[in-house]
Every structure is written in structure tokens, then in C-alpha cells.
Amino acid sequence: MNQTDTRKETLEFNKLQKRLRRNVGNAIIDYSMIEENDVVMACISGGKDSFAMLDILLNLQKAAPIKFDVVAVNLDQKQPGFPEHILPQYFESLNIPYYIVDKDTYSVVKEKVPEGKTTCGLCSRLRRGTLYSFAEKIGATKIALGHHLDDIVETLFLNMFHGSRMKAMPPKLRSDDGRNVVIRPLTYCREKDLIKYAEHKEFPIIPCNLCGSQENLQRQAIKAMLIDWDKKTPGRVENIFKSIQNVSPSQLADKSIFDFINLPLDREGDREEYEFNEAVVSSTNIDESMFIDVTNI
């Protein structure tokens, strides 16, 4: 690679890094994800997204106008062949506080889920319970997960297509029992940017053998659909995400979030002008004298 190419690559990476940091910073501000004196438990799976999240959080921590701590936590689910030395070495190289938490969820999932069926649901629930309890144990006030914009949109369609629910992943979530708050700092970040970032930073990626070995997962089909849309209509995925930030309950059909039963007419006072001229009746067989002329009342 010649000097010109090297400069161009460096320039492109700097732009990418600024964009990702800006997106994370905006998400944190928009949803008040991190507050003064928070202890953020950054959950690191060994995948590109959680590595990027940790890297960006540590950089923002240095420049943020508020003080907060970051603790890296990896849940070792005892998957066969999992390289247990990689994450401790990486965390030590960063000189940051970390925990490796052992919980054999792998055996539970393999025992409970029939061969060929999707393991993600049960695996996620077991992992969530373990992380919630550990966050309390170490006094963490926020649990940071590495889900990005594409994950959120994929989840929206996954729930629509297979669960008949309009539901995604919120940027910030309080657990049902109110004892934990989950944040997703990568909410505004695109996966394609995170892939490039991880390649440049050379994170020690650890593949998930439990999920990655299953083919034709529903999520993978949706991911392929969104990638195709992104190629044919750039910006569509971002627009879908923006739509879940701009919800009009009265234009949907959920009776629990909008009262469709009690919608009384209210014609008191002057009417605002509609965006068209009054219609002119050219023919009718109705005796208009039967109607009340409201303009004279």
C-alpha cells in the first residue's frame, strides 16, 4: 500500500470513528442513558459489536462532562472450545476493571431445546437473568448491551412476522421488577460501520458457536431482506428506525394505547379551513330543507 492509499485509509477511519462516537454520544444524551456517578456494566460477548461498544464508551468516558465508571463483564456460558484466555488478556491490555462470570447456560440450552430449533430465546433469557443478578451484586447502575440500529429493526420485523407484535428493542429499558436499567449505546449505529471499525481495530473476535451453527434462522432471513433493501434503497433501514421514534397511536389499531371507543363528535366553535374548496352539489334527490342550517344557529 502506497503513502496516498495509507493517508486515504486513515482519513476514512477517522471519519468512521467520529461518526460512531457521535452516534453513541447522541444516543446517550437523547435517552439519558448515562448519568453522573453511574457504574456502567459493559457486557462483552466477544463479538464485534460489544467490543466496539466498550472501546467507544472508554473513549467517551475520558471526554464526557460527567463522571461515570465502566466495568467490563463477560458471561462465560461454557460453550465447547470457547477460548477462555482471550477476553481476560484483552481487558488486562486495556487496564480496565473486569469480571469473567461462569454460568453453564450452554448445557441447559442444549438439554431443553430440540435439535434444529432456535436456541436464541432460551439462551437470551438465561443470560439476562444471570447478568441482572450480577449487576446488583457489583453495584452497577446501568447494564450496557451491544445491540445496534440493525438489530433493533430486525427485531421489529421478527416480532411482526412471527409474533404478531409491533415491538423492537428500546434504547433504554427498565427491567420488569424495576431493579435494573438496560441501555443500548449503539442504538444509532449501523452494523456495516461496526464491521469496518472492528476490522480496523483488530478486535479479538470470538464466534458464538451456539447460535452461529444454526442455519436458516428467522433473524438471518430478515437480515438478508434488510441488506437487500439497503442496496436497492439506501436510507430505508434508517427510515424504518426513525418510524419507531415517531409513533402515532391513533393511526394504528391497538386499543390499549388509544381509546377508539370514546371518540365523540365536537363541532362547537369555528371550523379550521380544510385544504380544499367546499364541494358544489350538482344533483340530488334529497330535500335540503329537512336539514338544519348550522351556519344560522
Side-chain angles (χ1 to χ4, degrees):
M1 183 179 293
N2 59 43
Q3 194 171 9
T4 301
D5 290 337
T6 301
R7 283 201 299 266
K8 183 179 179 180
E9 184 178 303
T10 300
L11 179 62
E12 288 300 314
F13 174 73
N14 288 339
K15 289 167 60 178
L16 170 65
Q17 183 169 248
K18 287 179 182 177
R19 180 164 66 251
L20 287 172
R21 290 182 182 178
R22 181 174 63 251
N23 287 340
V24 171
N26 287 341
I28 289 173
I29 292 170
D30 288 351
Y31 294 96
S32 189
M33 291 185 183
I34 300 176
E35 300 162 281
E36 184 74 35
N37 294 321
D38 264 340
V39 178
V40 180
M41 188 175 95
C43 300
I44 312 303
S45 65
K48 68 182 188 313
D49 305 323
S50 59
F51 273 127
M53 178 187 70
L54 177 63
D55 183 87
I56 296 169
L57 282 178
L58 291 175
N59 277 280
L60 290 178
Q61 183 187 34
K62 298 173 184 176
I66 61 171
K67 178 185 179 300
F68 66 93
D69 295 320
V70 177
V71 180
V73 172
N74 167 253
L75 175 58
D76 185 347
Q77 299 176 265
K78 298 305 174 185
Q79 297 176 29
F82 185 83
E84 297 180 355
H85 64 287
I86 290 181
L87 288 175
Q89 287 181 357
Y90 180 72
F91 297 146
E92 292 284 358
S93 73
L94 297 177
N95 192 30
I96 61 170
Y98 74 90
Y99 293 96
I100 304 296
V101 183
D102 295 339
K103 186 73 172 180
D104 189 2
T105 61
Y106 178 86
S107 297
V108 177
V109 169
K110 298 302 287 185
E111 177 186 347
K112 299 289 185 182
V113 180
E115 190 68 31
K117 295 294 183 179
T118 301
T119 60
C120 298
L122 178 58
C123 180
S124 177
R125 289 194 299 274
L126 293 172
R127 187 169 62 248
R128 182 167 58 245
T130 303
L131 292 173
Y132 278 5
S133 61
F134 191 70
E136 283 197 65
K137 184 176 181 179
I138 65 172
T141 53
K142 302 287 170 59
I143 301 173
L145 303 181
H147 298 124
H148 46 68
L149 185 147
D150 296 71
D151 286 326
I152 293 171
V153 174
E154 287 165 16
T155 303
L156 173 68
F157 283 103
L158 193 64
N159 282 317
M160 288 172 63
F161 293 171
H162 303 286
S164 300
R165 293 178 297 174
M166 189 166 287
K167 174 184 175 183
M169 293 175 172
K172 184 178 181 181
L173 171 73
R174 190 177 76 155
S175 60
D176 291 340
D177 61 8
R179 300 178 72 89
N180 285 286
V181 173
V182 173
I183 59 173
R184 295 183 168 95
L186 302 182
T187 285
Y188 292 163
C189 300
R190 291 300 310 271
E191 183 174 26
K192 55 190 176 185
D193 283 345
L194 294 168
I195 291 172
K196 293 177 184 176
Y197 191 72
E199 289 174 351
H200 192 280
K201 299 288 285 189
E202 297 183 339
F203 295 132
I205 306 297
I206 303 172
C208 176
N209 296 323
L210 185 62
C211 305
S213 61
Q214 295 180 335
E215 296 180 356
N216 301 318
L217 289 175
Q218 296 164 346
R219 182 177 288 274
Q220 295 304 316
I222 291 171
K223 182 186 287 289
M225 177 187 75
L226 294 177
I227 290 173
D228 185 55
W229 283 358
D230 222 11
K231 290 178 180 177
K232 293 178 179 177
T233 314
R236 177 176 287 184
V237 175
E238 285 90 343
N239 285 341
I240 294 170
F241 175 79
K242 289 176 183 176
S243 73
I244 65 175
Q245 294 180 299
N246 188 26
V247 178
S248 301
S250 65
Q251 307 302 305
L252 299 174
D254 190 337
K255 295 180 291 183
S256 69
I257 61 174
F258 187 80
D259 186 1
F260 291 97
I261 307 300
N262 301 299
L263 293 177
L265 284 174
D266 181 4
R267 289 177 174 168
E268 294 185 6
D270 295 333
R271 168 171 64 80
E272 293 184 6
E273 290 296 321
Y274 296 133
E275 294 183 5
F276 57 83
N277 295 326
E278 292 289 344
V280 176
V281 177
S282 61
S283 177
T284 182
N285 64 352
I286 297 175
D287 183 358
E288 295 186 8
S289 66
M290 298 170 57
F291 297 112
I292 300 174
D293 186 357
V294 295
T295 60
N296 295 323
I297 296 179

